Amino acid sequence: MKKFYTFLIIFIGASIGGSLRYLIGLMFTVSSGFPWGTLFVNLTGAFVLPLLIHYLHDKFHLQVDTVLSLTTGLLGAYTTFSTFTADTYKLFQTSNYMMLSGYLIATLLGGFLCAIFGNYLAANLATKEYLREKKES
């Protein structure tokens, strides 16, 4: 029964994440051919994941199922490696090498920098929280 509950909570998170990704894709539809929507969801996902894992989980003592729902479910469906790969191939196929290079750099380097910033922010928030609690006691 526990595994079914875990499956269900991830399923709910994935439904929300996939729906958010679709809505953002609609918002970022442009005629330039550059996949702004995919870039946005992947960069914001790279930023939010460490915040969820390192700050919110610790601060609110979230249950494992809640963390799985938010990370594997919501963010797993929200971010998309398969769409990134398809967009990359589409830019390659159209010989748009400048846009392809920019997209690869923005996604890979940008994702890495967003993850670093998310980890930094999580650590900073946790430290401030710890110092505030220590000061109050």
Side-chain angles (χ1 to χ4, degrees):
M1 190 64 174
K2 172 78 172 144
K3 287 184 180 187
F4 178 74
Y5 175 76
T6 302
F7 168 80
L8 190 59
I9 200 83
I10 291 171
F11 178 81
I12 291 168
S15 298
I16 295 167
S19 298
L20 283 173
R21 177 168 38 118
Y22 176 74
L23 288 174
I24 288 170
L26 292 176
M27 290 174 15
F28 281 93
T29 302
V30 291
S31 61
S32 70
F34 192 84
W36 290 108
T38 306
L39 179 63
F40 180 83
V41 298
N42 286 337
L43 293 182
T44 55
F47 172 74
V48 170
L49 183 62
L51 281 175
L52 285 174
I53 292 173
H54 298 297
Y55 179 68
L56 295 179
H57 178 337
D58 293 339
K59 178 179 170 76
F60 297 109
H61 308 289
L62 300 176
Q63 294 179 350
V64 173
D65 290 336
T66 304
V67 174
L68 282 172
S69 176
L70 294 172
T71 56
T72 303
L74 193 136
L75 285 178
Y78 175 72
T79 59
T80 171
F81 187 74
S82 58
T83 304
F84 161 71
T85 305
D87 290 340
T88 302
Y89 183 71
K90 194 180 306 176
L91 291 171
F92 175 77
Q93 223 176 10
T94 59
S95 301
N96 199 335
Y97 300 118
M98 289 297 287
M99 206 177 283
L100 171 63
S101 299
Y103 183 53
L104 287 170
I105 291 168
T107 300
L108 299 175
L109 183 59
F112 179 67
L113 293 174
C114 284
I116 288 173
F117 183 63
N119 275 298
Y120 169 79
L121 185 60
N124 194 6
L125 290 170
T127 301
K128 284 181 182 179
E129 185 78 18
Y130 170 77
L131 293 175
R132 186 179 59 79
E133 288 174 4
K134 189 174 179 183
K135 191 178 192 180
E136 289 176 358
S137 59

